[in-house]
Amino acid sequence: MSYESNPILDKLPKHLKQFIKPQNYEEYTAINQAVWRYVMRKNVDYLSQVAHSSYVDGLKMTGISIDHIPNMYGMNRILKEIGWAAVAVDGFIPPSAFMEFQAYNVLVIASDIRQLENIEYTPAPDIIHEGAGHAPIIANPEYAEYLRRFGEIGCKAISSAKDYELYDAVRHLSIIKEANGTPQEEIDKAEKHIEYLQENMGEPSEMALIRNLHWWTVEYGLIGTVDNPKIYGAGLLSSIGESAWCMTDQVKKLPYSIEAAHTEFDITKPQPQLFVTPDFAFLSQVLEDFANTMALRTGGLSSVKKLIASHALGTLELSTGLQISGEFHNVIEHEGKPIYIQTKGPTALAYRDKELVGHSTAYHAEGFGSPIGKLKGINIAIEDMYPRDLKAYNIYEGEQVSLEFEGGVKVEGTIITGTRNLMGKIILITFKDCTVTHNGEVLFQPEWGLYDMAVGQQVVSGYNGPADLNSFNLITHQLTETTIKPKEDPRRTQLEQYYQQIREYREGTNTTISRNKVFQAIKQEYPEDWLLSVELYELAKKSNDHDFQVEILAHLEQVKRNNPKVGHLIDDGIALVDAPLVS
């Protein structure tokens, strides 16, 4: 096992555990730690004024330090007190898996940290975004329940094939944008590809819509009133650029509603508008309203068509409770209803999320097809027939029957047996020597073996994934590409050593280091670096070394002249030192 488990993580199914990777805390450099410290000092200073009160309280409750990148094991010891846990993953993982982790009260944390060059914002998920953004807010019980429920509903949302393509494109962009030395033209190309995909998605899938809700709440949500909102979205809490920008009049504030599901977002740009929820309970209300529109709750023909369009493993549940899990590829419809459904490849049948004995993917390896609905000219549905009714219509063991369904599907063969659910209703009928046709087209023929006919008057639910997680091998996740680690570079290694020396001096583990020597080396060898000089200024201020402060400020003014883009970062760092945090 590549991670330290606990009772919450023990409950994760195997297919989610495949995404977990070790945090490898020792790989964080002193520069990484300085980036974390700068962002957190600036965030806490600013966010204590504009974030929801749960944020600052949550930082304390979740054990997230301003001075050190959080250690996942330490976080888990504290998170368990509020019934949650955290795991490390490699960058973006598929949206359905991300949400399913939430359903198990597990926070997914991309363990990489943004480069110093991307200190204000990165499209890549990183430990600042996940650890400092998501974790503190889940200390609020109402919000934590919203997050869990969102995961529970969201992982059942049906995707389209284009969603998977967009996920791969966004993951690719996030990786190359955080990698050292990626040519700008490669980044531009990746961004244009995402723009093209976003403009050509067609009818948005359920997953696309619920991801919009996730974006405008969990990632970029505001709370309170439109005139006086507070921040709670992790994307804003972890971006020192956007957390300030979003509070200006240049960003439109709208009352949160289900309309947010139809408002798209662009991950590569600052958001032009944000949604404001009056309180956390209202988030759950909108989520339930959205869930009422999903195939999960509506069923019917549209749920079958959504699953066919997904080209992925999904489940249809019939009115008897029988669940058919597989890749759906065909439906015959009549008067707006599905009258025959067909899967291709391995399929499993289940009842109440437990596979029916004898109906595994090994048995239904080539697919499964069945009529749905009522028999023609008979008012009572098969599932509602009592034993006497079944005998009256010859639906009985050993009888040779011809069953014609509304819409024209005909099943002719000899009944071997029936399978009942816990309530005594017939949910499956098995035939031998069976032929299934629809308007002359043969759908099943005797030489194919026994025919299992699902019993169900209607499709009541359709959702992503299998009914019984054990029916399929779901441990198939292959990353198309992994996050790119910085290459060993002697110049970079030397800079990291200077950062490490100053870190050790500040923390009192090595006070023999000459700060002035380090500063002179930085000026000489790394004239473009600014963050270490800000840290040296902080130490000079603490020791009342006025001359050293003046010298550092003069150097930082030169850095600003040479690179105006970092000017506001330097100014903010100095302002933090001159007006330190009140603990």
Side-chain angles (χ1 to χ4, degrees):
M1 190 180 289
S2 63
Y3 60 94
E4 187 180 295
S5 197
N6 59 47
I8 293 171
L9 299 183
D10 288 343
K11 291 177 183 174
L12 286 174
K14 288 179 185 174
H15 74 279
L16 289 182
K17 289 179 180 178
Q18 70 185 311
F19 294 101
I20 303 174
K21 68 164 207 170
Q23 186 184 17
N24 296 330
Y25 195 88
E26 69 284 352
E27 290 182 8
Y28 294 121
T29 67
I31 296 177
N32 295 152
Q33 294 283 4
V35 166
W36 169 272
R37 187 168 179 271
Y38 177 91
V39 172
M40 289 304 293
R41 279 168 60 81
K42 189 168 181 335
N43 270 7
V44 174
D45 177 62
Y46 175 65
L47 293 173
S48 59
Q49 306 159 45
V50 297
H52 187 266
S53 58
S54 297
Y55 175 74
V56 177
D57 295 343
L59 279 175
K60 295 169 189 165
M61 284 183 71
T62 49
I64 293 172
S65 157
I66 288 174
D67 289 319
H68 301 89
I69 294 171
N71 185 309
M72 216 71 73
Y73 308 136
M75 273 184 74
N76 273 326
R77 282 195 292 275
I78 297 164
L79 283 172
K80 74 176 182 182
E81 300 300 322
I82 54 174
W84 280 70
V87 294
V89 297
D90 183 55
F92 280 111
I93 63 171
S96 59
F98 180 86
M99 292 186 192
E100 197 174 354
F101 270 109
Q102 284 182 196
Y104 284 93
N105 280 23
V106 175
L107 199 60
V108 173
I109 294 182
S111 57
D112 289 332
I113 186 165
R114 65 194 65 178
Q115 296 179 72
L116 176 53
E117 293 75 17
N118 296 332
I119 196 166
E120 284 195 282
Y121 170 78
T122 174
D126 76 335
I127 197 160
I128 292 177
H129 172 81
E130 314 284 4
H134 285 295
I137 297 293
I138 63 167
N140 180 294
E142 186 72 51
Y143 182 75
E145 173 54 20
Y146 168 70
L147 207 59
R148 185 202 66 78
R149 184 72 172 145
F150 198 108
E152 195 171 49
I153 292 169
C155 71
K156 299 293 187 185
I158 300 169
S159 298
S160 72
K162 288 185 177 179
D163 289 332
Y164 298 110
E165 196 178 348
L166 182 61
Y167 157 71
D168 274 337
V170 169
R171 180 177 167 83
H172 172 67
L173 173 66
S174 73
I175 288 171
I176 63 171
K177 213 163 184 181
E178 267 301 313
N180 270 324
T182 304
Q184 187 58 43
E185 56 266 27
E186 192 179 336
I187 293 171
D188 293 343
K189 183 181 174 186
E191 288 183 344
K192 282 194 176 77
H193 182 51
I194 288 174
E195 280 177 28
Y196 171 78
L197 291 175
Q198 286 176 327
E199 288 165 9
N200 294 275
M201 292 295 285
E203 185 72 22
S205 68
E206 288 181 350
M207 180 56 81
L209 294 175
I210 204 165
R211 277 189 70 218
N212 287 345
L213 282 187
H214 194 269
W215 183 264
W216 299 121
T217 60
V218 176
E219 297 294 353
Y220 277 79
L222 298 175
I223 187 168
T225 65
V226 169
D227 296 327
N228 185 28
K230 298 287 186 185
I231 297 171
Y232 74 91
L236 296 172
L237 292 173
S238 60
S239 170
I240 56 180
E242 276 207 269
S243 59
W245 161 255
C246 78
M247 300 308 280
T248 68
D249 292 339
Q250 289 171 284
V251 178
K252 193 175 179 184
K253 316 297 189 302
L254 302 169
Y256 181 60
S257 72
I258 199 168
E259 279 307 304
H262 300 278
T263 306
E264 294 178 0
F265 60 89
D266 185 343
I267 196 170
T268 66
K269 297 181 177 73
Q271 308 312 311
Q273 85 282 303
L274 296 172
F275 292 89
V276 187
T277 183
D279 48 46
F280 288 137
F282 187 69
L283 296 179
S284 297
Q285 185 180 318
V286 172
L287 177 62
E288 292 302 321
D289 290 343
F290 179 80
N292 288 336
T293 70
M294 291 170 61
L296 176 69
R297 294 186 183 174
T298 61
L301 179 62
S302 67
S303 68
V304 185
K305 288 184 171 179
K306 285 177 181 179
L307 281 175
I308 291 171
S310 75
H311 300 295
L313 173 60
T315 297
L316 290 177
E317 184 170 325
L318 307 185
S319 43
T320 52
L322 181 72
Q323 296 160 315
I324 305 159
S325 298
E327 187 179 330
F328 291 86
H329 87 115
N330 188 36
V331 62
I332 300 172
E333 56 185 281
H334 175 70
E335 295 181 348
K337 295 178 181 177
I339 59 168
Y340 194 88
I341 53 174
Q342 179 76 49
T343 66
K344 64 177 180 181
T347 304
L349 306 183
Y351 178 73
R352 290 190 175 174
D353 299 338
K354 188 175 180 183
E355 184 178 285
L356 292 180
V357 175
H359 293 280
S360 67
T361 55
Y363 181 70
H364 297 289
E366 302 300 318
F368 178 84
S370 178
I372 306 291
K374 292 171 68 175
L375 295 171
K376 190 175 180 182
I378 299 174
N379 285 331
I380 188 168
I382 295 175
E383 67 196 72
D384 295 327
M385 291 182 179
Y386 290 105
R388 283 198 183 91
D389 300 318
L390 291 167
K391 194 160 190 179
Y393 291 110
N394 279 346
I395 303 173
Y396 208 74
E397 180 188 346
E399 295 287 345
Q400 189 169 345
V401 294
S402 177
L403 303 175
E404 186 173 356
F405 287 80
E406 291 176 347
V409 176
K410 193 179 283 188
V411 179
E412 298 171 290
T414 302
I415 295 175
I416 298 176
T417 188
T419 303
R420 294 177 184 273
N421 66 16
L422 289 174
M423 308 309 291
K425 288 188 175 185
I426 293 282
I427 60 173
L428 199 67
I429 299 173
T430 304
F431 295 81
K432 67 178 181 179
D433 303 324
C434 187
T435 302
V436 183
T437 57
H438 176 253
N439 295 342
E441 180 191 356
V442 176
L443 303 173
F444 189 91
Q445 46 199 36
E447 49 268 37
W448 293 353
L450 299 179
Y451 180 69
D452 297 290
M453 185 186 84
V455 176
Q457 189 175 342
Q458 57 192 338
V459 174
V460 296
S461 181
Y463 52 87
N464 169 66
D468 186 337
L469 295 173
N470 297 313
S471 293
F472 293 80
N473 174 21
L474 301 175
I475 307 176
T476 56
H477 180 64
Q478 294 290 328
L479 289 173
T480 49
E481 58 183 325
T482 55
T483 49
I484 301 165
K485 304 296 181 190
K487 290 177 183 171
E488 284 293 323
D489 172 6
R491 192 167 182 274
R492 181 79 173 182
T493 303
Q494 180 59 62
L495 180 61
E496 286 167 0
Q497 285 174 4
Y498 289 139
Y499 269 85
Q500 183 64 33
Q501 287 173 348
I502 297 309
R503 184 171 184 81
E504 288 171 3
Y505 183 92
R506 188 179 62 250
E507 295 183 347
T509 56
N510 186 353
T511 54
T512 62
I513 292 158
S514 168
R515 292 167 293 151
N516 207 287
K517 275 187 181 175
V518 171
F519 176 62
Q520 299 307 326
I522 289 292
K523 275 175 69 177
Q524 204 64 35
E525 300 166 34
Y526 304 93
E528 74 288 347
D529 185 82
W530 60 272
L531 183 52
L532 190 53
S533 294
V534 169
E535 293 211 330
L536 284 163
Y537 176 76
E538 180 188 352
L539 293 175
K541 181 97 175 177
K542 279 184 181 173
S543 61
N544 293 316
D545 190 338
H546 182 71
D547 291 342
F548 196 18
Q549 291 175 55
V550 171
E551 191 180 355
I552 295 168
L553 289 175
H555 168 64
L556 286 170
E557 283 301 319
Q558 185 61 48
V559 176
K560 283 158 65 175
R561 280 194 292 275
N562 293 340
N563 185 6
K565 282 186 178 178
V566 300
H568 67 290
L569 295 169
I570 292 170
D571 291 343
D572 289 349
I574 297 302
L576 277 170
V577 175
D578 290 342
L581 292 172
V582 178
S583 56

